[in-house]
Amino acid sequence: MSFFKTAGKPFIIAGPCSAESREQVLETAAALKELPVQLFRGGVWKPRTKPGNFEGNGVEALDWLREVKRTYGLKTTIEVAEPHHVELALEYGVDAVWLGARTTVNPFQVQHIADALKGTHLPVLVKNPVNPDVDLWEGAIERVQRAGVTDVAAIHRGFSIYDAGAVYRNPPNWPVPIELKRRRPELTIICDPSHITGRREMVANLAQKAMDLGFEGLMIETHPDPENAWSDAAQQITPRALKELLQQLIIRQEFTEDMGKSTELEYLRQLMDSVDAEVIDLIARRMQLSERIGAVKKDCNMTAYQPERWRDIVATRGEHADRQQLHKDFIVALYQLIHDESIRRQLEILQGTTKPVKD
Ligand code: PEP
Ligand code: MN
């Protein structure tokens, strides 16, 4: 069984953003050993956005993590950003390493680290890059796997934005990790609500949302005195808060063994399949009408795009959406796609590359 698979339970990684002192590390570990935590995290080298901030205690902190393992039996994980971090992780008996968001973004650096991982058997977690690029994320995972690492998992920690008033520190952009899971169904994906929210009050809700969406684990920054943490003070929670969070977390499964519910689900899915078939048939009919309109426009030497008509579609379809209790923005966005395709087809007709289909 893979290092990151836990039958039916979320894989929990907890511990401070940074390993600040021996006391802080051991105090956190003493509290976490009572909880269902699979890995104890502690940042040893911290990638800080600006110079001059606390950049980690380096090798000294590796000694404290070794003590955590020896004293409390907790497995440990650290971030590696350089090949020699991998060597030191092995020397000090670290159990798993992770690549941070600012490393995943750089294929050269990922490759250097992957080369250092060759032949080590260290489990590796790959955080998403700071930008929402699923190929770059998958590419980093591939580099690590090609180095022969068999235990690889992904961590979703949200994506950078430029917006001082934003709700999230790094908005989750859920379609990105969901697309990674679609491409790599075998991959364990762990959510990091600490770096996504950036605010401890929001961590529990986001953790639940990750469970609702089918994520397989959580990485949560935990500190005995979060307000006074040396890094990421606003987002860390106490071990006691983590205990509460884990007790209240509703764990969802992908399948159910309840036969009655399974049958009901199957029936509803069949109904949905036939509604989708109707939706596609209707869109095809709409496109045929659009092409016939294109032919008339061509005969009269009219433009394919008619701003007045588009304004009318936005207004009337938006009102219709309201009456059906559908979000106006959602329907307008859908019509934007349909209208774009209509215009594309009409342009082909105006340019004489296509003939309209007759009814
Ligand atoms: C961290 O986990 O403390 C960290 C620096 O994360 P990220 O790479 O997601 O910013
Ligand atoms: Mn952090």
PDB file of all heavy atoms in Angstrom, residues 81-92:
ATOM      1  N   ALA A  81      14.120  22.427  -0.990  1.00  0.00           N
ATOM      2  CA  ALA A  81      14.155  23.376  -2.103  1.00  0.00           C
ATOM      3  C   ALA A  81      15.473  23.313  -2.858  1.00  0.00           C
ATOM      4  O   ALA A  81      15.646  23.988  -3.874  1.00  0.00           O
ATOM      5  CB  ALA A  81      13.899  24.788  -1.589  1.00  0.00           C
ATOM      6  N   GLU A  82      16.389  22.503  -2.347  1.00  0.00           N
ATOM      7  CA  GLU A  82      17.719  22.346  -2.958  1.00  0.00           C
ATOM      8  C   GLU A  82      18.088  20.867  -2.878  1.00  0.00           C
ATOM      9  O   GLU A  82      17.691  20.186  -1.930  1.00  0.00           O
ATOM     10  CB  GLU A  82      18.773  23.107  -2.128  1.00  0.00           C
ATOM     11  CG  GLU A  82      18.571  24.582  -1.996  1.00  0.00           C
ATOM     12  CD  GLU A  82      19.014  25.344  -3.232  1.00  0.00           C
ATOM     13  OE1 GLU A  82      19.515  24.695  -4.171  1.00  0.00           O
ATOM     14  OE2 GLU A  82      18.853  26.574  -3.244  1.00  0.00           O
ATOM     15  N   PRO A  83      18.941  20.374  -3.798  1.00  0.00           N
ATOM     16  CA  PRO A  83      19.362  18.971  -3.707  1.00  0.00           C
ATOM     17  C   PRO A  83      20.002  18.634  -2.357  1.00  0.00           C
ATOM     18  O   PRO A  83      19.744  17.572  -1.799  1.00  0.00           O
ATOM     19  CB  PRO A  83      20.359  18.821  -4.858  1.00  0.00           C
ATOM     20  CG  PRO A  83      19.933  19.868  -5.856  1.00  0.00           C
ATOM     21  CD  PRO A  83      19.421  21.016  -5.042  1.00  0.00           C
ATOM     22  N   HIS A  84      20.796  19.564  -1.793  1.00  0.00           N
ATOM     23  CA  HIS A  84      21.454  19.177  -0.527  1.00  0.00           C
ATOM     24  C   HIS A  84      20.467  19.104   0.639  1.00  0.00           C
ATOM     25  O   HIS A  84      20.730  18.457   1.642  1.00  0.00           O
ATOM     26  CB  HIS A  84      22.690  20.049  -0.221  1.00  0.00           C
ATOM     27  CG  HIS A  84      22.381  21.355   0.411  1.00  0.00           C
ATOM     28  ND1 HIS A  84      22.109  22.484  -0.315  1.00  0.00           N
ATOM     29  CD2 HIS A  84      22.281  21.709   1.718  1.00  0.00           C
ATOM     30  CE1 HIS A  84      21.861  23.482   0.521  1.00  0.00           C
ATOM     31  NE2 HIS A  84      21.958  23.037   1.748  1.00  0.00           N
ATOM     32  N   HIS A  85      19.271  19.725   0.490  1.00  0.00           N
ATOM     33  CA  HIS A  85      18.226  19.550   1.522  1.00  0.00           C
ATOM     34  C   HIS A  85      17.782  18.081   1.545  1.00  0.00           C
ATOM     35  O   HIS A  85      17.469  17.527   2.596  1.00  0.00           O
ATOM     36  CB  HIS A  85      17.009  20.426   1.225  1.00  0.00           C
ATOM     37  CG  HIS A  85      17.280  21.905   1.322  1.00  0.00           C
ATOM     38  ND1 HIS A  85      16.419  22.845   0.814  1.00  0.00           N
ATOM     39  CD2 HIS A  85      18.305  22.596   1.881  1.00  0.00           C
ATOM     40  CE1 HIS A  85      16.896  24.060   1.044  1.00  0.00           C
ATOM     41  NE2 HIS A  85      18.053  23.930   1.691  1.00  0.00           N
ATOM     42  N   VAL A  86      17.736  17.469   0.353  1.00  0.00           N
ATOM     43  CA  VAL A  86      17.333  16.053   0.270  1.00  0.00           C
ATOM     44  C   VAL A  86      18.360  15.191   1.006  1.00  0.00           C
ATOM     45  O   VAL A  86      18.004  14.315   1.806  1.00  0.00           O
ATOM     46  CB  VAL A  86      17.206  15.606  -1.209  1.00  0.00           C
ATOM     47  CG1 VAL A  86      16.933  14.105  -1.312  1.00  0.00           C
ATOM     48  CG2 VAL A  86      16.127  16.412  -1.930  1.00  0.00           C
ATOM     49  N   GLU A  87      19.638  15.479   0.757  1.00  0.00           N
ATOM     50  CA  GLU A  87      20.696  14.697   1.416  1.00  0.00           C
ATOM     51  C   GLU A  87      20.594  14.818   2.936  1.00  0.00           C
ATOM     52  O   GLU A  87      20.698  13.838   3.663  1.00  0.00           O
ATOM     53  CB  GLU A  87      22.085  15.176   0.963  1.00  0.00           C
ATOM     54  CG  GLU A  87      22.392  14.754  -0.464  1.00  0.00           C
ATOM     55  CD  GLU A  87      23.425  15.660  -1.123  1.00  0.00           C
ATOM     56  OE1 GLU A  87      24.254  16.259  -0.410  1.00  0.00           O
ATOM     57  OE2 GLU A  87      23.383  15.777  -2.376  1.00  0.00           O
ATOM     58  N   LEU A  88      20.357  16.060   3.404  1.00  0.00           N
ATOM     59  CA  LEU A  88      20.254  16.267   4.858  1.00  0.00           C
ATOM     60  C   LEU A  88      19.005  15.601   5.421  1.00  0.00           C
ATOM     61  O   LEU A  88      19.029  15.046   6.523  1.00  0.00           O
ATOM     62  CB  LEU A  88      20.266  17.770   5.167  1.00  0.00           C
ATOM     63  CG  LEU A  88      21.648  18.412   5.018  1.00  0.00           C
ATOM     64  CD1 LEU A  88      21.554  19.925   4.950  1.00  0.00           C
ATOM     65  CD2 LEU A  88      22.555  17.988   6.174  1.00  0.00           C
ATOM     66  N   ALA A  89      17.902  15.631   4.661  1.00  0.00           N
ATOM     67  CA  ALA A  89      16.663  14.981   5.114  1.00  0.00           C
ATOM     68  C   ALA A  89      16.933  13.499   5.354  1.00  0.00           C
ATOM     69  O   ALA A  89      16.516  12.920   6.367  1.00  0.00           O
ATOM     70  CB  ALA A  89      15.560  15.173   4.076  1.00  0.00           C
ATOM     71  N   LEU A  90      17.668  12.883   4.436  1.00  0.00           N
ATOM     72  CA  LEU A  90      17.986  11.455   4.575  1.00  0.00           C
ATOM     73  C   LEU A  90      18.902  11.214   5.771  1.00  0.00           C
ATOM     74  O   LEU A  90      18.681  10.310   6.572  1.00  0.00           O
ATOM     75  CB  LEU A  90      18.688  10.948   3.308  1.00  0.00           C
ATOM     76  CG  LEU A  90      17.755  10.737   2.115  1.00  0.00           C
ATOM     77  CD1 LEU A  90      18.564  10.612   0.842  1.00  0.00           C
ATOM     78  CD2 LEU A  90      16.890   9.503   2.337  1.00  0.00           C
ATOM     79  N   GLU A  91      19.898  12.077   5.902  1.00  0.00           N
ATOM     80  CA  GLU A  91      20.870  11.929   6.995  1.00  0.00           C
ATOM     81  C   GLU A  91      20.179  11.999   8.362  1.00  0.00           C
ATOM     82  O   GLU A  91      20.540  11.278   9.281  1.00  0.00           O
ATOM     83  CB  GLU A  91      21.912  13.046   6.854  1.00  0.00           C
ATOM     84  CG  GLU A  91      23.128  12.868   7.709  1.00  0.00           C
ATOM     85  CD  GLU A  91      24.084  14.062   7.528  1.00  0.00           C
ATOM     86  OE1 GLU A  91      24.223  14.576   6.387  1.00  0.00           O
ATOM     87  OE2 GLU A  91      24.658  14.492   8.550  1.00  0.00           O
ATOM     88  N   TYR A  92      19.162  12.858   8.471  1.00  0.00           N
ATOM     89  CA  TYR A  92      18.505  13.056   9.768  1.00  0.00           C
ATOM     90  C   TYR A  92      17.235  12.201   9.924  1.00  0.00           C
ATOM     91  O   TYR A  92      16.460  12.405  10.848  1.00  0.00           O
ATOM     92  CB  TYR A  92      18.185  14.541   9.975  1.00  0.00           C
ATOM     93  CG  TYR A  92      19.409  15.334  10.403  1.00  0.00           C
ATOM     94  CD1 TYR A  92      20.343  15.763   9.470  1.00  0.00           C
ATOM     95  CD2 TYR A  92      19.647  15.601  11.758  1.00  0.00           C
ATOM     96  CE1 TYR A  92      21.478  16.461   9.858  1.00  0.00           C
ATOM     97  CE2 TYR A  92      20.773  16.307  12.156  1.00  0.00           C
ATOM     98  CZ  TYR A  92      21.685  16.738  11.206  1.00  0.00           C
ATOM     99  OH  TYR A  92      22.795  17.418  11.602  1.00  0.00           O
TER     100      TYR A  92
END
